[in-house]
mmCIF file of all heavy atoms in Angstrom:
data_model
loop_
_atom_site.group_PDB
_atom_site.id
_atom_site.type_symbol
_atom_site.label_atom_id
_atom_site.label_comp_id
_atom_site.label_asym_id
_atom_site.label_seq_id
_atom_site.Cartn_x
_atom_site.Cartn_y
_atom_site.Cartn_z
ATOM 1 N N LEU A 383 -7.132 19.150 7.971
ATOM 2 C CA LEU A 383 -7.521 20.008 9.086
ATOM 3 C C LEU A 383 -6.828 19.623 10.386
ATOM 4 O O LEU A 383 -6.774 20.424 11.322
ATOM 5 C CB LEU A 383 -9.042 19.941 9.286
ATOM 6 C CG LEU A 383 -9.904 20.524 8.166
ATOM 7 C CD1 LEU A 383 -11.376 20.266 8.454
ATOM 8 C CD2 LEU A 383 -9.638 22.027 8.032
ATOM 9 N N GLY A 384 -6.316 18.404 10.428
ATOM 10 C CA GLY A 384 -5.653 17.934 11.644
ATOM 11 C C GLY A 384 -6.624 17.562 12.739
ATOM 12 O O GLY A 384 -6.237 17.435 13.905
ATOM 13 N N THR A 385 -7.889 17.330 12.390
ATOM 14 C CA THR A 385 -8.904 16.994 13.392
ATOM 15 C C THR A 385 -9.049 15.496 13.606
ATOM 16 O O THR A 385 -9.649 15.068 14.591
ATOM 17 C CB THR A 385 -10.266 17.564 12.969
ATOM 18 O OG1 THR A 385 -10.594 17.075 11.661
ATOM 19 C CG2 THR A 385 -10.231 19.094 12.921
ATOM 20 N N LEU A 386 -8.514 14.697 12.686
ATOM 21 C CA LEU A 386 -8.622 13.239 12.777
ATOM 22 C C LEU A 386 -7.231 12.619 12.786
ATOM 23 O O LEU A 386 -6.367 13.014 12.000
ATOM 24 C CB LEU A 386 -9.417 12.681 11.595
ATOM 25 C CG LEU A 386 -10.859 13.169 11.438
ATOM 26 C CD1 LEU A 386 -11.474 12.591 10.177
ATOM 27 C CD2 LEU A 386 -11.692 12.806 12.659
ATOM 28 N N TRP A 387 -7.024 11.627 13.657
ATOM 29 C CA TRP A 387 -5.728 10.961 13.785
ATOM 30 C C TRP A 387 -5.937 9.456 13.824
ATOM 31 O O TRP A 387 -6.844 8.964 14.508
ATOM 32 C CB TRP A 387 -5.024 11.427 15.062
ATOM 33 C CG TRP A 387 -4.572 12.866 14.961
ATOM 34 C CD1 TRP A 387 -5.377 13.968 14.861
ATOM 35 C CD2 TRP A 387 -3.233 13.338 14.900
ATOM 36 N NE1 TRP A 387 -4.615 15.112 14.747
ATOM 37 C CE2 TRP A 387 -3.294 14.753 14.772
ATOM 38 C CE3 TRP A 387 -1.990 12.718 14.948
ATOM 39 C CZ2 TRP A 387 -2.149 15.536 14.686
ATOM 40 C CZ3 TRP A 387 -0.842 13.501 14.879
ATOM 41 C CH2 TRP A 387 -0.936 14.899 14.741
ATOM 42 N N ASN A 388 -5.121 8.717 13.042
ATOM 43 C CA ASN A 388 -5.288 7.260 13.030
ATOM 44 C C ASN A 388 -4.256 6.577 13.926
ATOM 45 O O ASN A 388 -3.141 7.063 14.107
ATOM 46 C CB ASN A 388 -5.282 6.700 11.609
ATOM 47 C CG ASN A 388 -3.959 6.815 10.908
ATOM 48 O OD1 ASN A 388 -2.969 6.205 11.335
ATOM 49 N ND2 ASN A 388 -3.901 7.567 9.815
ATOM 50 N N MET A 389 -4.664 5.451 14.474
ATOM 51 C CA MET A 389 -3.831 4.696 15.400
ATOM 52 C C MET A 389 -2.888 3.812 14.602
ATOM 53 O O MET A 389 -3.311 2.818 13.999
ATOM 54 C CB MET A 389 -4.715 3.875 16.342
ATOM 55 C CG MET A 389 -5.647 4.729 17.193
ATOM 56 S SD MET A 389 -6.768 3.739 18.226
ATOM 57 C CE MET A 389 -5.609 2.943 19.347
ATOM 58 N N VAL A 390 -1.626 4.162 14.594
ATOM 59 C CA VAL A 390 -0.646 3.512 13.726
ATOM 60 C C VAL A 390 -0.446 2.049 14.134
ATOM 61 O O VAL A 390 -0.106 1.750 15.288
ATOM 62 C CB VAL A 390 0.694 4.268 13.769
ATOM 63 C CG1 VAL A 390 1.740 3.554 12.912
ATOM 64 C CG2 VAL A 390 0.509 5.703 13.304
ATOM 65 N N GLY A 391 -0.660 1.143 13.175
ATOM 66 C CA GLY A 391 -0.448 -0.278 13.427
ATOM 67 C C GLY A 391 -1.559 -0.948 14.206
ATOM 68 O O GLY A 391 -1.410 -2.087 14.636
ATOM 69 N N PHE A 392 -2.698 -0.265 14.389
ATOM 70 C CA PHE A 392 -3.763 -0.798 15.226
ATOM 71 C C PHE A 392 -4.952 -1.327 14.428
ATOM 72 O O PHE A 392 -6.098 -1.259 14.856
ATOM 73 C CB PHE A 392 -4.200 0.243 16.262
ATOM 74 C CG PHE A 392 -3.466 0.109 17.565
ATOM 75 C CD1 PHE A 392 -2.108 0.380 17.628
ATOM 76 C CD2 PHE A 392 -4.090 -0.341 18.702
ATOM 77 C CE1 PHE A 392 -1.404 0.243 18.812
ATOM 78 C CE2 PHE A 392 -3.403 -0.502 19.893
ATOM 79 C CZ PHE A 392 -2.051 -0.212 19.949
ATOM 80 N N GLN A 393 -4.675 -1.861 13.234
ATOM 81 C CA GLN A 393 -5.717 -2.576 12.511
ATOM 82 C C GLN A 393 -6.197 -3.748 13.381
ATOM 83 O O GLN A 393 -5.411 -4.344 14.102
ATOM 84 C CB GLN A 393 -5.206 -3.064 11.164
ATOM 85 C CG GLN A 393 -3.927 -3.845 11.196
ATOM 86 C CD GLN A 393 -2.665 -2.990 11.163
ATOM 87 O OE1 GLN A 393 -2.732 -1.774 11.130
ATOM 88 N NE2 GLN A 393 -1.520 -3.645 11.169
ATOM 89 N N THR A 394 -7.485 -4.031 13.317
ATOM 90 C CA THR A 394 -8.035 -4.960 14.297
ATOM 91 C C THR A 394 -9.282 -5.658 13.794
ATOM 92 O O THR A 394 -9.986 -5.153 12.909
ATOM 93 C CB THR A 394 -8.380 -4.211 15.603
ATOM 94 O OG1 THR A 394 -8.921 -5.130 16.554
ATOM 95 C CG2 THR A 394 -9.402 -3.107 15.353
ATOM 96 N N LYS A 395 -9.570 -6.827 14.368
ATOM 97 C CA LYS A 395 -10.848 -7.497 14.133
ATOM 98 C C LYS A 395 -11.652 -7.607 15.434
ATOM 99 O O LYS A 395 -12.616 -8.367 15.512
ATOM 100 C CB LYS A 395 -10.638 -8.872 13.502
ATOM 101 C CG LYS A 395 -9.947 -9.902 14.370
ATOM 102 C CD LYS A 395 -10.026 -11.281 13.697
ATOM 103 C CE LYS A 395 -9.434 -12.361 14.583
ATOM 104 N NZ LYS A 395 -9.655 -13.707 14.033
ATOM 105 N N LEU A 396 -11.269 -6.813 16.452
ATOM 106 C CA LEU A 396 -12.098 -6.719 17.652
ATOM 107 C C LEU A 396 -13.474 -6.183 17.271
ATOM 108 O O LEU A 396 -13.606 -5.329 16.382
ATOM 109 C CB LEU A 396 -11.470 -5.763 18.668
ATOM 110 C CG LEU A 396 -10.253 -6.232 19.472
ATOM 111 C CD1 LEU A 396 -9.712 -5.076 20.299
ATOM 112 C CD2 LEU A 396 -10.599 -7.411 20.374
ATOM 113 N N LYS A 397 -14.509 -6.657 17.946
ATOM 114 C CA LYS A 397 -15.840 -6.098 17.721
ATOM 115 C C LYS A 397 -15.839 -4.628 18.143
ATOM 116 O O LYS A 397 -15.038 -4.201 18.982
ATOM 117 C CB LYS A 397 -16.885 -6.893 18.500
ATOM 118 C CG LYS A 397 -17.113 -8.287 17.914
ATOM 119 C CD LYS A 397 -18.325 -8.976 18.519
ATOM 120 C CE LYS A 397 -18.629 -10.283 17.781
ATOM 121 N NZ LYS A 397 -19.824 -10.967 18.345
ATOM 122 N N HIS A 398 -16.735 -3.852 17.542
ATOM 123 C CA HIS A 398 -16.680 -2.402 17.726
ATOM 124 C C HIS A 398 -16.762 -1.975 19.191
ATOM 125 O O HIS A 398 -16.000 -1.109 19.641
ATOM 126 C CB HIS A 398 -17.791 -1.742 16.901
ATOM 127 C CG HIS A 398 -17.457 -1.676 15.444
ATOM 128 N ND1 HIS A 398 -18.290 -1.111 14.510
ATOM 129 C CD2 HIS A 398 -16.374 -2.102 14.748
ATOM 130 C CE1 HIS A 398 -17.745 -1.193 13.307
ATOM 131 N NE2 HIS A 398 -16.577 -1.796 13.431
ATOM 132 N N ALA A 399 -17.674 -2.557 19.952
ATOM 133 C CA ALA A 399 -17.788 -2.188 21.360
ATOM 134 C C ALA A 399 -16.516 -2.533 22.128
ATOM 135 O O ALA A 399 -16.091 -1.780 23.030
ATOM 136 C CB ALA A 399 -18.995 -2.876 21.991
ATOM 137 N N GLU A 400 -15.897 -3.650 21.771
ATOM 138 C CA GLU A 400 -14.652 -4.047 22.416
ATOM 139 C C GLU A 400 -13.512 -3.097 22.061
ATOM 140 O O GLU A 400 -12.645 -2.805 22.886
ATOM 141 C CB GLU A 400 -14.278 -5.479 22.007
ATOM 142 C CG GLU A 400 -15.163 -6.540 22.603
ATOM 143 C CD GLU A 400 -14.920 -6.679 24.104
ATOM 144 O OE1 GLU A 400 -15.475 -5.858 24.865
ATOM 145 O OE2 GLU A 400 -14.191 -7.593 24.518
ATOM 146 N N GLN A 401 -13.480 -2.615 20.825
ATOM 147 C CA GLN A 401 -12.454 -1.642 20.433
ATOM 148 C C GLN A 401 -12.519 -0.403 21.322
ATOM 149 O O GLN A 401 -11.502 0.074 21.823
ATOM 150 C CB GLN A 401 -12.619 -1.243 18.969
ATOM 151 C CG GLN A 401 -12.295 -2.331 17.977
ATOM 152 C CD GLN A 401 -12.426 -1.863 16.548
ATOM 153 O OE1 GLN A 401 -11.951 -0.787 16.202
ATOM 154 N NE2 GLN A 401 -13.071 -2.667 15.706
ATOM 155 N N VAL A 402 -13.723 0.115 21.493
ATOM 156 C CA VAL A 402 -13.892 1.309 22.326
ATOM 157 C C VAL A 402 -13.413 1.030 23.748
ATOM 158 O O VAL A 402 -12.651 1.808 24.340
ATOM 159 C CB VAL A 402 -15.361 1.769 22.313
ATOM 160 C CG1 VAL A 402 -15.567 2.925 23.300
ATOM 161 C CG2 VAL A 402 -15.778 2.192 20.904
ATOM 162 N N ARG A 403 -13.839 -0.090 24.298
ATOM 163 C CA ARG A 403 -13.466 -0.422 25.679
ATOM 164 C C ARG A 403 -11.965 -0.620 25.835
ATOM 165 O O ARG A 403 -11.331 -0.029 26.726
ATOM 166 C CB ARG A 403 -14.212 -1.683 26.124
ATOM 167 C CG ARG A 403 -13.895 -2.119 27.561
ATOM 168 C CD ARG A 403 -14.591 -3.416 27.910
ATOM 169 N NE ARG A 403 -14.045 -4.569 27.173
ATOM 170 C CZ ARG A 403 -12.949 -5.231 27.554
ATOM 171 N NH1 ARG A 403 -12.265 -4.846 28.631
ATOM 172 N NH2 ARG A 403 -12.521 -6.271 26.853
ATOM 173 N N VAL A 404 -11.367 -1.428 24.973
ATOM 174 C CA VAL A 404 -9.949 -1.778 25.118
ATOM 175 C C VAL A 404 -9.049 -0.603 24.769
ATOM 176 O O VAL A 404 -8.078 -0.313 25.482
ATOM 177 C CB VAL A 404 -9.613 -3.011 24.251
ATOM 178 C CG1 VAL A 404 -8.117 -3.298 24.277
ATOM 179 C CG2 VAL A 404 -10.386 -4.228 24.730
ATOM 180 N N PHE A 405 -9.344 0.112 23.692
ATOM 181 C CA PHE A 405 -8.460 1.198 23.276
ATOM 182 C C PHE A 405 -8.550 2.404 24.200
ATOM 183 O O PHE A 405 -7.628 3.211 24.254
ATOM 184 C CB PHE A 405 -8.743 1.586 21.826
ATOM 185 C CG PHE A 405 -8.409 0.487 20.837
ATOM 186 C CD1 PHE A 405 -9.002 0.444 19.589
ATOM 187 C CD2 PHE A 405 -7.507 -0.506 21.165
ATOM 188 C CE1 PHE A 405 -8.706 -0.560 18.677
ATOM 189 C CE2 PHE A 405 -7.195 -1.528 20.268
ATOM 190 C CZ PHE A 405 -7.794 -1.554 19.022
ATOM 191 N N ARG A 406 -9.635 2.527 24.959
ATOM 192 C CA ARG A 406 -9.708 3.604 25.958
ATOM 193 C C ARG A 406 -8.888 3.295 27.200
ATOM 194 O O ARG A 406 -8.764 4.148 28.095
ATOM 195 C CB ARG A 406 -11.174 3.872 26.335
ATOM 196 C CG ARG A 406 -11.915 4.696 25.286
ATOM 197 C CD ARG A 406 -13.344 4.970 25.697
ATOM 198 N NE ARG A 406 -14.011 5.840 24.731
ATOM 199 C CZ ARG A 406 -15.319 6.103 24.740
ATOM 200 N NH1 ARG A 406 -16.092 5.562 25.678
ATOM 201 N NH2 ARG A 406 -15.849 6.900 23.838
ATOM 202 N N MET A 407 -8.286 2.104 27.260
ATOM 203 C CA MET A 407 -7.330 1.797 28.329
ATOM 204 C C MET A 407 -5.990 2.467 28.073
ATOM 205 O O MET A 407 -5.158 2.562 28.981
ATOM 206 C CB MET A 407 -7.121 0.280 28.417
ATOM 207 C CG MET A 407 -8.334 -0.506 28.870
ATOM 208 S SD MET A 407 -8.024 -2.305 28.845
ATOM 209 C CE MET A 407 -6.739 -2.427 30.113
ATOM 210 N N ILE A 408 -5.765 2.942 26.857
ATOM 211 C CA ILE A 408 -4.485 3.562 26.496
ATOM 212 C C ILE A 408 -4.408 4.947 27.123
ATOM 213 O O ILE A 408 -5.316 5.770 26.931
ATOM 214 C CB ILE A 408 -4.358 3.662 24.965
ATOM 215 C CG1 ILE A 408 -4.380 2.262 24.340
ATOM 216 C CG2 ILE A 408 -3.100 4.415 24.566
ATOM 217 C CD1 ILE A 408 -4.545 2.261 22.819
ATOM 218 N N PRO A 409 -3.366 5.254 27.881
ATOM 219 C CA PRO A 409 -3.226 6.583 28.471
ATOM 220 C C PRO A 409 -3.295 7.680 27.400
ATOM 221 O O PRO A 409 -2.602 7.603 26.385
ATOM 222 C CB PRO A 409 -1.847 6.530 29.137
ATOM 223 C CG PRO A 409 -1.644 5.079 29.451
ATOM 224 C CD PRO A 409 -2.278 4.347 28.303
ATOM 225 N N GLY A 410 -4.145 8.655 27.621
ATOM 226 C CA GLY A 410 -4.364 9.718 26.648
ATOM 227 C C GLY A 410 -5.599 9.486 25.804
ATOM 228 O O GLY A 410 -6.124 10.417 25.180
ATOM 229 N N LEU A 411 -6.068 8.242 25.755
ATOM 230 C CA LEU A 411 -7.256 7.915 24.964
ATOM 231 C C LEU A 411 -8.428 7.483 25.853
ATOM 232 O O LEU A 411 -9.386 6.874 25.387
ATOM 233 C CB LEU A 411 -6.943 6.801 23.956
ATOM 234 C CG LEU A 411 -5.842 7.069 22.927
ATOM 235 C CD1 LEU A 411 -5.766 5.916 21.923
ATOM 236 C CD2 LEU A 411 -6.081 8.384 22.198
ATOM 237 N N GLN A 412 -8.387 7.865 27.140
ATOM 238 C CA GLN A 412 -9.428 7.427 28.070
ATOM 239 C C GLN A 412 -10.814 7.919 27.651
ATOM 240 O O GLN A 412 -11.818 7.264 27.903
ATOM 241 C CB GLN A 412 -9.131 7.936 29.487
ATOM 242 C CG GLN A 412 -7.807 7.462 30.064
ATOM 243 C CD GLN A 412 -6.684 8.461 29.842
ATOM 244 O OE1 GLN A 412 -6.607 9.086 28.791
ATOM 245 N NE2 GLN A 412 -5.833 8.621 30.835
ATOM 246 N N GLU A 413 -10.871 9.080 27.002
ATOM 247 C CA GLU A 413 -12.148 9.649 26.552
ATOM 248 C C GLU A 413 -12.213 9.698 25.027
ATOM 249 O O GLU A 413 -12.956 10.511 24.462
ATOM 250 C CB GLU A 413 -12.316 11.064 27.127
ATOM 251 C CG GLU A 413 -12.210 11.145 28.636
ATOM 252 C CD GLU A 413 -13.346 10.394 29.319
ATOM 253 O OE1 GLU A 413 -14.452 10.340 28.727
ATOM 254 O OE2 GLU A 413 -13.127 9.857 30.425
ATOM 255 N N ALA A 414 -11.456 8.853 24.364
ATOM 256 C CA ALA A 414 -11.361 8.903 22.906
ATOM 257 C C ALA A 414 -12.722 8.732 22.241
ATOM 258 O O ALA A 414 -13.521 7.871 22.620
ATOM 259 C CB ALA A 414 -10.401 7.826 22.406
ATOM 260 N N GLU A 415 -12.972 9.574 21.227
ATOM 261 C CA GLU A 415 -14.138 9.441 20.368
ATOM 262 C C GLU A 415 -13.632 9.021 18.990
ATOM 263 O O GLU A 415 -12.718 9.641 18.442
ATOM 264 C CB GLU A 415 -14.911 10.759 20.280
ATOM 265 C CG GLU A 415 -15.517 11.195 21.607
ATOM 266 C CD GLU A 415 -16.598 10.233 22.097
ATOM 267 O OE1 GLU A 415 -17.234 9.581 21.233
ATOM 268 O OE2 GLU A 415 -16.799 10.119 23.327
ATOM 269 N N PHE A 416 -14.223 7.975 18.437
ATOM 270 C CA PHE A 416 -13.728 7.369 17.209
ATOM 271 C C PHE A 416 -14.546 7.816 15.999
ATOM 272 O O PHE A 416 -15.766 7.637 15.956
ATOM 273 C CB PHE A 416 -13.748 5.847 17.325
ATOM 274 C CG PHE A 416 -12.833 5.315 18.401
ATOM 275 C CD1 PHE A 416 -13.280 5.159 19.706
ATOM 276 C CD2 PHE A 416 -11.518 5.002 18.110
ATOM 277 C CE1 PHE A 416 -12.437 4.679 20.697
ATOM 278 C CE2 PHE A 416 -10.661 4.524 19.088
ATOM 279 C CZ PHE A 416 -11.113 4.369 20.384
ATOM 280 N N ALA A 417 -13.843 8.400 15.019
ATOM 281 C CA ALA A 417 -14.499 8.759 13.762
ATOM 282 C C ALA A 417 -14.721 7.518 12.911
ATOM 283 O O ALA A 417 -15.649 7.467 12.095
ATOM 284 C CB ALA A 417 -13.646 9.762 12.989
ATOM 285 N N ARG A 418 -13.866 6.512 13.091
ATOM 286 C CA ARG A 418 -13.996 5.246 12.391
ATOM 287 C C ARG A 418 -13.356 4.174 13.244
ATOM 288 O O ARG A 418 -12.254 4.364 13.761
ATOM 289 C CB ARG A 418 -13.290 5.297 11.024
ATOM 290 C CG ARG A 418 -13.433 4.013 10.210
ATOM 291 C CD ARG A 418 -12.540 4.022 8.973
ATOM 292 N NE ARG A 418 -11.131 3.903 9.336
ATOM 293 C CZ ARG A 418 -10.116 4.125 8.502
ATOM 294 N NH1 ARG A 418 -10.367 4.506 7.282
ATOM 295 N NH2 ARG A 418 -8.861 3.980 8.910
ATOM 296 N N LEU A 419 -14.046 3.070 13.400
ATOM 297 C CA LEU A 419 -13.474 1.944 14.121
ATOM 298 C C LEU A 419 -12.823 0.974 13.143
ATOM 299 O O LEU A 419 -13.061 1.037 11.933
ATOM 300 C CB LEU A 419 -14.557 1.244 14.948
ATOM 301 C CG LEU A 419 -15.014 2.069 16.165
ATOM 302 C CD1 LEU A 419 -16.323 1.541 16.706
ATOM 303 C CD2 LEU A 419 -13.944 2.082 17.254
ATOM 304 N N GLY A 420 -11.991 0.108 13.657
ATOM 305 C CA GLY A 420 -11.246 -0.806 12.809
ATOM 306 C C GLY A 420 -12.130 -1.889 12.213
ATOM 307 O O GLY A 420 -13.249 -2.125 12.663
#
Side-chain angles (χ1 to χ4, degrees):
L383 294 175
T385 56
L386 300 177
W387 290 66
N388 67 64
M389 299 176 66
V390 177
F392 267 67
Q393 52 274 1
T394 180
K395 66 170 184 173
L396 285 174
K397 289 191 173 181
H398 283 181
E400 289 290 81
Q401 291 182 46
V402 174
R403 180 184 69 83
V404 174
F405 294 157
R406 282 181 176 171
M407 293 176 65
I408 298 168
L411 301 186
Q412 300 95 322
E413 305 295 329
E415 295 295 332
F416 297 89
R418 182 189 70 193
L419 289 164

